[in-house]
Amino acid sequence: MKIVETVQELQNLIKEAKRNESVVGFVPTMGFLHEGHLSLVDQAQKECDLVVMSIFVNPLQFGPNEDFDRYPRNFERDSRLARNAGVNILFYPNVKEMYPTESAMKVIVHEGVSVLCGKSRPGHFDGVATVVLKLFNIVTPDRAYFGMKDAQQVAVIEKMIRDFNLQVSLIGCPTLREEDGLAKSSRNVNLTDVERKEAVSIYNSLQLAKKLIAQGERKTERIQEEMTTFLETNSSGTIDYIELLTYPELNHLEQLEGKVIIAIAQQYSKARLIDNIVLEIE
Amino acid sequence: MKIVETVQELQNLIKEAKRNESVVGFVPTMGFLHEGHLSLVDQAQKECDLVVMSIFVNPLQFGPNEDFDRYPRNFERDSRLARNAGVNILFYPNVKEMYPTESAMKVIVHEGVSVLCGKSRPGHFDGVATVVLKLFNIVTPDRAYFGMKDAQQVAVIEKMIRDFNLQVSLIGCPTLREEDGLAKSSRNVNLTDVERKEAVSIYNSLQLAKKLIAQGERKTERIQEEMTTFLETNSSGTIDYIELLTYPELNHLEQLEGKVIIAIAQQYSKARLIDNIVLEIE
């Protein structure tokens, strides 16, 4: 595995690979890798000749009061995990390399961001879209791998590929979970022991919603209420949102039907966790 | 010359060319071609293996009260001129092909657009940057050719290449002029006969500024005043702006020094004309 810190060196390596008609797979991350990231590498390896992973904690997608500074970082561990997983090139730029000058422009996302994390984190998806556009332009991947835990991010990137005519295929990969069901996340290390135990109730409330739907419940409000009561009873975190929306359009609906996302964000003392499931309802 | 109307067909042709390591040159236009455009083709031909020209009047860069509807169009004449000039592929998409769905996002330019045309045409450069980004992603050119008549556009695209890590070289080409000095422009056909004669005063006032500077004048305000008086005396058009700024940063300065752009926009009854010169001042 090659560790590359500059855009120029990365582009040279990729141009060489492309001359040999290599299919380039790309796994963009913010590091502090867990099995979720590694499962993306796994899938990329099966489908591509060259697997590029980036590790970059992008300041542009963090709000002024968010956790940019305490976002967990451990490059030594990350690079070992990436190497073992089969990453061929690990791109690890610093902020100056990604943003060498004051930017004159950025991508603004104006659709599908008034709900879920877009509502709680204004400007977040502008920052995500801008950095992913830059990374796509640097890496020029044939295929890019994203985890479905960030389902709204997947929807935004899918729309960016469509709106800006990007020549890359997006692959959304399933959420990986701890044994008790908690979605794997770099932010889980910022939970206290008590919170870690409580946090499984996010997963359990999604399962509760699934059960209610299986039993015939279709009223969005009714399911939201049950999930809220469950979460409030079983954890000390503050509910940021519990939403049931069409997917990938992310529109509200009173009666559930078709492809639907059930999504939660909950704030603990030092970590904001998100999770979701996507269901096809008959 | 191949005329191509769909993104898909164009991308197939370009992928084939790239497999043969062809250097791709790109000349984006809004059609109604004149010698200015053809000089871009000429330069592209000298430096590239494959010359792609696009003709697309982009609704996104026109304001609600601007001349999108009466922007001159003549595809038959354009395609003849393009073929004779040596264009290999003429990309001629319709609006539906470029914007098949309501867009979820766009590029917003927030630096260098509070002056010149950016000030008079709010949102104009957002529309320019967005469509040029799309065209770059579709054509994937090695080199792209733009006329320096739209100097602010050249500055914006240059910044977009830098900010979004686009892998394309921008070539800014000199403004072509009619015999009397009027800058060639597709919009010149929308001038009345009287206005056409008056419009040369735009060029002449730029020459006046150049003369004043050669004589030692360095005060921006003084030169602006002289140009204003000259234009008001010699034409019936309304002055939109006369500005002297650093180039390419486009910052104001009281005393001229370094690389400077002197730029004019003037509104006639059915055409808004722009022109500029860039000078190095010792």
Side-chain angles (χ1 to χ4, degrees):
Chain A
M1 185 182 75
K2 251 196 150 73
I3 297 172
V4 174
E5 295 185 9
T6 69
V7 171
Q8 190 56 60
E9 189 188 348
L10 180 62
Q11 287 181 333
N12 292 344
L13 288 170
I14 287 171
K15 266 181 199 149
E16 200 184 302
K18 293 235 165 181
R19 260 195 295 275
N20 301 325
E21 308 221 352
S22 292
V23 174
V24 177
F26 179 41
V27 182
T29 82
M30 299 208 300
F32 214 75
L33 304 178
H34 53 67
E35 287 89 337
H37 299 107
L38 303 179
S39 76
L40 303 180
V41 173
D42 213 47
Q43 187 155 348
Q45 267 198 313
K46 286 184 190 133
E47 301 171 353
C48 308
D49 305 306
L50 184 84
V51 179
V52 180
M53 175 188 274
S54 64
I55 293 183
F56 180 61
V57 185
N58 173 37
L60 213 60
Q61 71 194 64
F62 287 81
N65 298 316
E66 290 183 0
D67 60 350
F68 176 71
D69 288 329
R70 67 169 183 278
Y71 195 88
R73 294 158 168 94
N74 186 339
F75 182 68
E76 205 186 312
R77 181 173 165 277
D78 283 348
S79 60
R80 196 172 59 241
L81 288 172
R83 178 177 288 113
N84 292 343
V87 169
N88 301 111
I89 300 176
L90 183 58
F91 180 47
Y92 182 55
N94 62 25
V95 173
K96 197 80 196 151
E97 183 69 15
M98 287 298 286
Y99 302 107
T101 57
E102 190 89 18
S103 298
M105 64 198 69
K106 64 177 172 180
V107 179
I108 296 278
V109 186
H110 50 75
E111 194 203 275
V113 290
S114 61
V115 292
L116 305 179
C117 292
K119 189 175 178 182
S120 326
R121 306 182 68 187
H124 169 66
F125 286 109
D126 300 340
V128 169
T130 301
V131 80
V132 172
L133 178 64
K134 284 167 68 71
L135 288 168
F136 280 180
N137 288 333
I138 292 167
V139 178
T140 63
D142 298 287
R143 304 168 74 85
Y145 297 82
F146 290 84
M148 277 301 291
K149 183 166 84 65
D150 299 301
Q152 192 173 17
Q153 171 172 278
V154 169
V156 166
I157 306 295
E158 196 66 83
K159 284 175 191 164
M160 182 165 76
I161 290 171
R162 177 199 72 189
D163 287 349
F164 293 163
N165 302 91
L166 298 170
Q167 299 195 45
V168 54
S169 300
L170 184 155
I171 321 291
C173 301
T175 302
L176 257 69
R177 301 184 176 281
E178 305 292 346
E179 263 186 41
D180 62 356
L182 176 67
K184 287 190 188 269
S185 164
S186 308
R187 288 185 170 97
N188 290 350
V189 297
N190 288 338
L191 296 170
T192 66
D193 289 349
V194 174
E195 287 175 340
R196 170 62 191 83
K197 288 194 187 96
E198 293 172 352
V200 69
S201 55
I202 298 175
Y203 173 72
N204 289 337
S205 69
L206 291 171
Q207 294 307 307
L208 170 63
K210 202 171 166 178
K211 198 181 86 186
L212 292 169
I213 291 165
Q215 288 168 355
E217 184 61 71
R218 291 292 178 272
K219 253 192 122 199
T220 299
E221 208 184 321
R222 185 83 191 78
I223 298 170
Q224 256 172 331
E225 282 165 8
E226 294 265 4
M227 291 172 75
T228 304
T229 306
F230 182 88
L231 259 179
E232 286 177 347
T233 312
N234 290 286
S235 85
S236 60
T238 315
I239 297 169
D240 184 354
Y241 62 72
I242 295 179
E243 294 208 72
L244 294 90
L245 305 166
T246 61
Y247 192 84
E249 303 82 8
L250 305 181
N251 293 323
H252 287 283
L253 72 184
E254 274 180 41
Q255 290 283 122
L256 299 180
E257 67 166 313
K259 201 170 180 184
V260 165
I261 184 168
I262 310 174
I264 297 179
Q266 201 185 16
Q267 180 71 52
Y268 287 87
S269 60
K270 289 201 169 71
R272 182 176 170 282
L273 304 185
I274 60 172
D275 199 354
N276 72 78
I277 52 174
V278 175
L279 297 176
E280 191 75 57
I281 301 176
E282 279 153 41
Chain B
M1 186 182 76
K2 250 194 150 75
I3 297 172
V4 175
E5 294 185 8
T6 69
V7 170
Q8 191 56 62
E9 189 188 347
L10 181 62
Q11 288 180 333
N12 292 343
L13 287 170
I14 287 171
K15 267 180 198 150
E16 201 184 301
K18 293 234 165 181
R19 261 196 295 274
N20 301 326
E21 308 221 352
S22 292
V23 173
V24 177
F26 180 40
V27 182
T29 81
M30 299 208 299
F32 214 75
L33 304 177
H34 52 67
E35 286 90 339
H37 300 108
L38 303 179
S39 74
L40 304 180
V41 174
D42 213 47
Q43 188 156 347
Q45 267 198 312
K46 285 184 191 134
E47 301 171 352
C48 308
D49 304 306
L50 185 83
V51 178
V52 180
M53 174 187 274
S54 64
I55 293 183
F56 180 61
V57 184
N58 172 37
L60 212 62
Q61 72 194 64
F62 287 81
N65 298 315
E66 291 182 0
D67 59 350
F68 176 70
D69 288 329
R70 64 170 185 278
Y71 195 88
R73 293 158 169 94
N74 186 339
F75 182 69
E76 206 186 311
R77 181 172 164 279
D78 282 350
S79 59
R80 196 172 60 241
L81 288 172
R83 178 177 288 113
N84 292 343
V87 169
N88 302 111
I89 300 177
L90 183 58
F91 181 46
Y92 183 56
N94 62 25
V95 172
K96 197 82 194 149
E97 183 69 14
M98 286 299 286
Y99 302 106
T101 57
E102 191 89 19
S103 298
M105 62 198 69
K106 63 177 173 180
V107 179
I108 297 279
V109 186
H110 49 75
E111 193 203 277
V113 289
S114 61
V115 292
L116 306 178
C117 292
K119 188 175 179 182
S120 326
R121 305 183 68 186
H124 169 66
F125 286 110
D126 300 340
V128 169
T130 301
V131 80
V132 171
L133 178 64
K134 284 167 67 71
L135 288 168
F136 279 179
N137 288 334
I138 293 167
V139 178
T140 63
D142 299 287
R143 305 169 73 85
Y145 297 82
F146 289 84
M148 276 301 290
K149 183 166 82 67
D150 300 301
Q152 191 173 16
Q153 172 172 278
V154 169
V156 166
I157 306 294
E158 195 67 82
K159 284 174 192 165
M160 182 164 76
I161 290 171
R162 178 199 70 189
D163 287 349
F164 293 162
N165 302 91
L166 298 169
Q167 300 196 44
V168 53
S169 301
L170 185 155
I171 321 290
C173 303
T175 302
L176 258 68
R177 301 184 176 281
E178 304 292 346
E179 264 188 37
D180 62 357
L182 176 67
K184 288 189 188 269
S185 164
S186 307
R187 288 184 170 97
N188 290 350
V189 297
N190 287 338
L191 296 169
T192 65
D193 289 350
V194 173
E195 288 174 339
R196 170 61 190 84
K197 289 195 186 95
E198 293 172 353
V200 69
S201 55
I202 298 174
Y203 173 71
N204 288 337
S205 68
L206 291 171
Q207 294 308 307
L208 169 62
K210 200 170 166 180
K211 199 181 85 187
L212 291 169
I213 291 165
Q215 287 167 356
E217 185 61 70
R218 291 292 178 273
K219 253 192 121 201
T220 299
E221 206 184 321
R222 185 83 191 76
I223 298 170
Q224 256 173 331
E225 281 167 7
E226 293 265 3
M227 290 172 76
T228 304
T229 305
F230 183 88
L231 259 179
E232 285 178 349
T233 311
N234 290 286
S235 85
S236 61
T238 315
I239 296 170
D240 184 353
Y241 62 72
I242 295 178
E243 295 208 71
L244 295 90
L245 305 166
T246 60
Y247 191 84
E249 304 83 7
L250 305 181
N251 292 323
H252 288 283
L253 70 185
E254 275 180 41
Q255 290 282 123
L256 299 179
E257 66 166 310
K259 202 170 180 184
V260 164
I261 184 168
I262 310 174
I264 297 178
Q266 202 186 17
Q267 181 69 53
Y268 288 86
S269 61
K270 288 199 169 73
R272 181 176 171 283
L273 304 185
I274 60 172
D275 201 355
N276 71 79
I277 52 175
V278 175
L279 296 176
E280 193 74 59
I281 300 177
E282 280 151 40

